[in-house]
Amino acid sequence: MPETFHYFVGHPPVPLRPGDTQWDTPIPYHRAATPGGIDKDDTCVTYGHYFTAVQAFLAADDLALPKYAIGRCRAGAACRQPQSIDIHLVKHGALYHPSRVTLAITGGPPLPLAVNVAVGNAGRERLSDEVRHLTHLCSAFPERYVPCVFGAGEGATRRLPSLPMFAVQWLDDYHEYHRTARDGSEAERRLVWDAERGPWCLSDRQTTDLFRRMVFILTYYFDPRTLAAIMEWHHAAGDFIVKADPDGAIDVRLITVRRYAPMLQLPADASPSVQTILDALALFLLRTTLWMRIDRLEGVGELVWAEDRWVAPMWEGFVQGIAAMAQVHRLPGVFEEGTLRYLAAHEPHDWERIGYQILDSYPAALPEALIIKHHLVDHIACLAAAVRSASAFGALSQQRPVTDRVE
């Protein structure tokens, strides 16, 4: 293999070379699995197969993808030919095994990329859709809260079928986080998995901003013309990542879009009425805030339910997201006001009806459905109180009618 490629595993990264024992060891199929644990329909892939495939993907067509990424991200680079390429396998996910790929650039700082590799069948089935969703969201929306795709394809191995994969921008200094019980305290804490400075916990203020920003991102990407929304995200999978600046202010990104689909089905070639959009937003709000409260301890442990105090920040994120989404789609100025007043008019029994529709759409034995069912009524009480709060409407003028249809 070319000496310009180097391979690493673990945290901190440890070099791995052909001939090392681990090179011929099967990789785990997700981080909760035992090493070498695979699904019965999956092909056994070793670390060597994995790194060989990623290298082939990057080296194709005379390093076309790395050169393209350098051209997009380092416009002033004197040379687009990377001096060397480090491939660091960083995680064993349920769908992908991502690597941090570092391109060494002459006369400038190195450029990190993320390469998501579908090793198992579940990832193979989702990969093309995810590439399509990410590409659409990055091109259709002016603000980017999801990573941009640099390219997709396959990497060949010597004895196994090619592994499909795609490359996106690596979001430096952003990290996965999860509910934790490491300190032995009963207090609700979220541990940020920071490999550079070590793990650290979000403060209450940061957690408030976290929930507000996460709901804002999902609402921003709601499409009122198609009723499409980002779905099937999960905190336990590390789908949202967080970054803190030196002053403690945080920023949030969503690193995966497994599904982007209509919340409600529309007749072919039909534009939704305003009433249909409002109904979809009510469904979106309740569904999003319910799932927002679910995580697993340490990312792989038992399901846990977030405290009531985070519901109000979720509502604030939704309100801010509605304003940003309306601006993107050039909706009438009264759209935001009409949406908030429509939701405020919902009684608890209206929300409960929507909640049970949501539950009916899940498999009865789904663990998340069971915890949602247990907390549904209490969650609705918290959400209804937030929606009806006077502060939510302090900036609104007197009610004006919304138009009948969004063109």
Side-chain angles (χ1 to χ4, degrees), residues 5 25-27 33 42 51 53 87 111 114 134 148 159 163 178 218 220 222 255 270 286 339 343 355 380-381:
F5 284 88
T25 300
I27 63 174
D42 286 325
F51 285 116
I87 305 172
L111 175 64
L134 289 172
C148 296
R159 298 190 303 273
L163 300 180
H178 292 288
L218 295 172
Y220 174 78
F222 177 89
I255 59 171
L286 184 55
T339 298
L343 296 173
I380 285 172

Side-chain angles (χ1 to χ4, degrees), residues 351-370:
W351 290 115
E352 288 184 21
R353 173 181 53 80
I354 298 171
Y356 286 112
Q357 289 175 352
I358 293 171
L359 284 173
D360 287 343
S361 70
Y362 299 143
L366 182 71
E368 288 82 357
L370 297 176

Side-chain angles (χ1 to χ4, degrees), residues 365-376:
L366 182 71
E368 288 82 357
L370 297 176
I371 195 171
I372 286 174
K373 184 176 182 180
H374 179 75
H375 292 281
L376 180 62

Side-chain angles (χ1 to χ4, degrees), residues 150-217:
F150 294 126
E154 294 185 340
T157 63
R158 290 196 178 96
R159 298 190 303 273
L160 298 175
S162 296
L163 300 180
M165 60 192 77
F166 64 100
V168 297
Q169 65 185 128
W170 179 276
L171 298 171
D172 249 335
D173 298 323
Y174 287 83
H175 307 286
E176 187 174 339
Y177 72 89
H178 292 288
R179 281 275 298 274
T180 185
R182 292 187 187 182
D183 59 4
S185 169
E186 294 184 1
E188 184 176 303
R189 305 279 282 172
R190 283 168 180 80
L191 189 71
V192 178
W193 294 4
D194 189 334
E196 299 299 323
R197 59 183 271 201
W200 51 276
C201 282
L202 293 168
S203 68
D204 284 356
R205 179 178 64 83
Q206 289 172 324
T207 304
T208 296
D209 285 344
L210 173 71
F211 280 109
R212 178 174 57 81
R213 289 173 180 268
M214 289 189 295
V215 176
F216 168 85
I217 290 170

Side-chain angles (χ1 to χ4, degrees), residues 102-344:
T102 305
L103 309 179
I105 303 172
T106 301
L111 175 64
L113 310 178
V115 175
N116 294 311
V117 184
V119 173
N121 289 335
R124 291 171 181 268
E125 293 170 359
R126 294 294 189 94
L127 188 142
S128 61
D129 285 340
E130 175 142 18
V131 170
R132 177 167 52 86
H133 297 327
L134 289 172
T135 301
H136 167 71
L137 294 179
C138 284
S139 62
F141 291 81
E143 299 296 332
R144 292 177 178 172
Y145 301 104
V146 296
C148 296
V149 177
F150 294 126
E154 294 185 340
T157 63
R158 290 196 178 96
R159 298 190 303 273
L160 298 175
S162 296
L163 300 180
M165 60 192 77
F166 64 100
V168 297
Q169 65 185 128
W170 179 276
L171 298 171
D172 249 335
D173 298 323
Y174 287 83
H175 307 286
E176 187 174 339
Y177 72 89
H178 292 288
R179 281 275 298 274
T180 185
R182 292 187 187 182
D183 59 4
S185 169
E186 294 184 1
E188 184 176 303
R189 305 279 282 172
R190 283 168 180 80
L191 189 71
V192 178
W193 294 4
D194 189 334
E196 299 299 323
R197 59 183 271 201
W200 51 276
C201 282
L202 293 168
S203 68
D204 284 356
R205 179 178 64 83
Q206 289 172 324
T207 304
T208 296
D209 285 344
L210 173 71
F211 280 109
R212 178 174 57 81
R213 289 173 180 268
M214 289 189 295
V215 176
F216 168 85
I217 290 170
L218 295 172
T219 309
Y220 174 78
Y221 285 121
F222 177 89
D223 189 337
R225 304 179 193 280
T226 64
L227 309 183
I230 296 172
M231 293 185 277
E232 298 189 12
W233 51 270
H234 205 307
H235 292 314
D239 292 344
F240 284 97
I241 55 177
V242 62
K243 174 183 180 180
D245 67 19
D247 296 328
I250 66 164
D251 193 24
V252 179
R253 291 291 185 271
L254 176 65
I255 59 171
T256 182
V257 181
R258 300 187 188 93
R259 187 178 176 212
Y260 186 70
M263 299 290 296
L264 300 172
Q265 293 301 317
L266 295 171
D269 300 323
S271 297
S273 67
V274 168
Q275 182 62 56
T276 302
I277 296 172
L278 295 175
D279 289 341
L281 282 170
L283 174 63
F284 169 85
L285 174 62
L286 184 55
R287 180 172 177 167
T288 298
T289 55
L290 285 166
W291 273 90
M292 195 60 66
R293 299 185 72 169
I294 301 173
D295 197 356
R296 289 187 179 274
L297 282 177
E298 317 301 342
V300 295
E302 65 177 293
L303 287 175
V304 285
W305 185 257
E307 294 176 352
D308 292 348
R309 57 181 166 148
W310 311 124
V311 175
M314 294 182 203
W315 167 247
E316 292 170 6
F318 176 81
V319 173
Q320 294 169 3
I322 287 291
M325 178 268 288
Q327 184 176 9
V328 168
H329 295 280
R330 299 179 180 179
L331 301 181
V334 296
F335 179 82
E336 178 188 357
E337 177 182 334
T339 298
L340 302 186
R341 292 195 181 280
Y342 174 77
L343 296 173

